[in-house]
Amino acid sequence: MDINEFRTAAKTAIDEIADYHENVSSRRVVSDVEPGYLRRLLPSSAPEDAEPFEAIRADVEDKIMPGITHWSSPGFMAFFPCSSSYPAAIAEMYSNALSGAHFNWICSPAVTELETIVLDWTAQALGLPECFTSGGSTGGGGVLHGSASEAILTVMVAARDKYVTARTAHLGDGDDKDDETWRLRSRLVAVGSAGAHSSTRKAARVLGVRFAAVPVREADGLAMTAASLAETLDELVARGLEPFYLTATLGTTDVCAVDDLVGIADVLAARAGSGSGSGSGSGSGRPDIFVHVDAAYAGSALLLPENQHLATPLARFHSFNFNPHKWMLTTFDCSATFVRSRADLIDALSVNPPYLRNQFSEGGLVTDYRDWQIPLGRRFRSLKLWFVLRSYGLAGLRAHIRNGVDMAEALESRLRSRPDLFAVFTPASFGLVSLRVRGRDEDEVNARSEEVYHAVNAAGSFYLTSTVVAGKFAIRVCLGVATIREDHVQGVFDALVTEAEAVCGSLPN
């Protein structure tokens, strides 16, 4: 493809992408193809000779689109939104044109410097404590990762090394220190609530450390409480284990619960220096437990002034992450991680072979984000966040977030108008509401709820997801997609009513 062919093909593609977004609501939300459908439609090997772009473009609609689930559809109410927007899409085009690995400042100074600036803007917009900005008092700052799972793995690596270093600081270099380091590693435990995202358990598995879950209760809104955390930590320490890391959550995956952040901070502060979970790092005491706050979806709601009180206790923790690619109109992937101390990441992750050295890095004059992440190479992710912040402004982004909040509250109100059919399992929170279908006992409620859930999804106009908490099956409805309006809320409510009436009528009351 030469430059003229590129100009023609790219303009055609932009028109088709615009048409797709304009008409996405007319498509079935969830693909209904059978597994292996695409292999039957494509040749068994790559073509020997070049094919015309028109043939490739035609195959996108004919062969690829049937296997796509349309995350930008207003009928997509599953999981959490995975945002896109026209400014972000245009930024991706520029980012692709300026392709590079961008691991050091010298690789492309603008890539590094824009990331630092945009993440400072974002921290300020969310009301984060100043310790998470690049010029803050604790030497912190922000970095863009690919996902919240990557962020958790990255900070858990830093937490492990920070903890073990502190616990062995009283030992001189040599075999004794090495032996104690490996003994400690065999006893390390990462902790998260039973409602924490599975990425904490997975990161622990990747690092070869144990994982322990803090129980949550429906009476507490399925949030982790300080008392439950303290009890879990005491049990772990009594077994001779070393809890070194905790994921606290602002907006859990199941129901968007917010853990008791203030209480958690108080519990950990009380344990400091006691030898029972936190301390100075001398031989008998334990270092502070590294606390990461996962706000992958709900963190975008901190743009709203009425939610920014939730950011205040974050100053007492070590790191915070949220995904602009979920609810902030920024194309996947774009996950913002903020740390109180960038040294925690750099000390654990910096490897400096000769081919990466340069006078700017060696002089300590610049940020090299390769030391803030597990991979070496990195994309120009900050460009799309910059485009979005400038194109919408904070006022426009707040309006978008409020729409999701309002739509969830509207659905909750409708559900409560039919107490004969539905029970609200968890009220609207950050654009998410969960429900169950009425029944005579838990078994019937579970069976009816699951049947309604599958029936609504099978119809194809809406895509919902479910969860099971303490043996209770619930239907989750998340209303954060940018195009959702009142008529879509009414539509999904009508679909739920239709299927619930059919199910409740087909089973004994």
Side-chain angles (χ1 to χ4, degrees):
M1 180 181 288
D2 62 26
I3 188 65
N4 292 321
E5 291 171 326
F6 170 71
R7 290 180 190 275
T8 300
K11 291 172 182 176
T12 299
I14 288 172
D15 285 340
E16 291 188 338
I17 291 168
D19 290 343
Y20 164 76
H21 282 292
E22 189 173 32
N23 299 300
V24 68
S25 61
S26 65
R27 296 177 183 264
R28 178 186 173 89
V29 182
V30 183
S31 167
D32 59 356
V33 300
E34 295 295 327
Y37 91 99
L38 190 57
R39 184 168 292 278
R40 295 190 293 270
L41 299 177
L42 296 181
S44 59
S45 61
E48 184 68 28
D49 298 315
E51 296 184 35
F53 182 76
E54 282 302 309
I56 302 170
R57 184 185 64 79
D59 279 349
V60 171
E61 181 62 38
D62 297 341
K63 297 180 173 62
I64 301 302
M65 280 297 183
I68 295 294
T69 293
H70 302 287
W71 289 64
S72 59
S73 168
F76 185 94
M77 301 176 181
F79 306 112
F80 293 114
C82 194
S83 296
S84 183
S85 65
Y86 297 127
I90 293 169
E92 287 280 29
M93 295 171 64
Y94 281 110
S95 179
N96 289 336
L98 304 173
S99 180
H102 307 310
F103 41 81
N104 278 352
W105 177 88
I106 194 63
C107 291
S108 281
V111 175
T112 293
E113 296 194 12
L114 184 64
E115 186 160 333
T116 302
I117 293 166
V118 165
L119 285 171
D120 281 348
W121 285 9
T122 303
Q124 294 162 9
L126 298 179
L128 299 186
E130 59 83 31
C131 60
F132 293 117
T133 61
S134 64
S137 58
T138 59
V143 59
L144 289 175
H145 292 138
S147 67
S149 298
E150 182 184 339
I152 285 174
L153 178 60
T154 302
V155 298
M156 194 182 290
V157 170
R160 179 196 62 190
D161 285 15
K162 183 183 179 75
Y163 186 91
V164 171
T165 297
R167 285 282 272 129
T168 58
H170 63 291
L171 299 173
D173 291 339
D175 291 343
D176 287 347
K177 186 167 189 173
D178 287 344
D179 290 345
E180 179 62 6
T181 293
W182 289 106
R183 187 196 72 80
L184 282 169
R185 282 195 171 203
S186 73
R187 311 301 290 169
L188 293 177
V189 186
V191 180
S193 83
H197 190 269
S198 60
S199 54
T200 296
R201 184 187 297 268
K202 186 172 185 178
R205 183 181 299 176
V206 171
L207 294 185
V209 301
R210 306 179 198 217
F211 172 78
V214 179
V216 296
R217 303 185 309 151
E218 193 173 341
D220 299 317
L222 302 174
M224 179 167 59
T225 65
S228 292
L229 173 62
E231 183 177 352
T232 299
L233 293 177
D234 286 342
E235 291 171 354
L236 293 171
V237 171
R239 291 168 54 196
L241 299 175
E242 304 266 351
F244 74 103
Y245 168 92
L246 170 69
T247 293
T249 308
L250 196 164
T252 60
T253 301
D254 287 325
V255 296
C256 264
V258 177
D259 291 341
D260 178 12
L261 301 179
V262 173
I264 289 166
D266 288 344
V267 161
L268 296 179
R271 298 171 73 87
S274 68
S276 62
S278 301
S280 63
S282 62
S284 59
R286 286 179 169 84
D288 291 343
I289 292 172
F290 189 111
V291 183
H292 173 72
V293 178
D294 176 16
Y297 165 67
S300 296
L302 295 179
L303 288 171
L304 303 183
E306 59 266 32
N307 292 330
Q308 291 191 348
H309 66 282
L310 295 171
T312 302
L314 299 179
R316 303 173 69 182
F317 301 134
H318 298 78
S319 58
F320 169 83
N321 169 267
F322 88 108
N323 291 345
H325 68 233
K326 280 197 167 80
W327 204 8
M328 213 170 111
L329 301 175
T330 308
T331 317
F332 187 88
D333 58 359
C334 185
S335 183
T337 304
F338 299 88
V339 292
R340 281 182 57 86
S341 171
R342 50 185 173 266
D344 291 344
L345 297 179
I346 295 168
D347 290 347
L349 298 168
S350 180
V351 178
N352 201 27
Y355 56 81
L356 293 179
R357 296 173 186 166
N358 61 80
Q359 71 270 31
F360 301 103
S361 299
E362 296 297 305
L365 301 174
V366 298
T367 295
D368 284 339
Y369 279 121
R370 66 181 177 85
D371 296 329
W372 298 44
Q373 62 180 33
I374 291 169
L376 174 62
R378 56 203 328 275
R379 301 179 63 239
F380 194 179
R381 295 187 181 101
S382 61
L383 195 66
K384 57 191 172 187
L385 186 53
W386 189 49
F387 273 41
V388 167
L389 287 168
R390 296 181 65 189
S391 296
Y392 287 92
L394 296 181
L397 291 172
R398 291 187 191 111
H400 161 63
I401 298 296
R402 281 203 173 93
N403 181 67
V405 171
D406 291 345
M407 294 302 99
E409 291 175 352
L411 178 59
E412 180 187 346
S413 177
R414 286 169 168 81
L415 292 169
R416 293 190 185 281
S417 74
R418 292 299 305 268
D420 55 317
L421 293 177
F422 305 113
V424 172
F425 183 55
T426 53
S429 178
F430 303 116
L432 173 72
V433 63
S434 66
L435 65 128
R436 307 179 79 205
V437 179
R438 295 287 189 183
R440 293 172 300 183
D441 53 35
E442 281 298 317
D443 288 342
E444 187 171 79
V445 169
N446 280 347
R448 288 181 170 186
S449 299
E450 188 166 4
E451 188 171 348
V452 168
Y453 162 72
H454 287 300
V456 170
N457 280 348
S461 295
F462 301 96
Y463 182 30
L464 314 178
T465 44
S466 63
T467 190
V468 178
V469 180
K472 297 182 177 182
F473 184 99
I475 302 169
R476 300 168 70 263
V477 188
C478 187
L479 297 123
V481 170
T483 52
I484 289 178
R485 298 293 182 266
E486 282 277 358
D487 57 318
H488 305 116
V489 174
Q490 186 64 46
V492 74
F493 174 70
D494 290 343
L496 288 165
V497 167
T498 297
E499 302 301 342
E501 286 179 339
V503 166
C504 292
S506 66
L507 296 173
N509 289 311

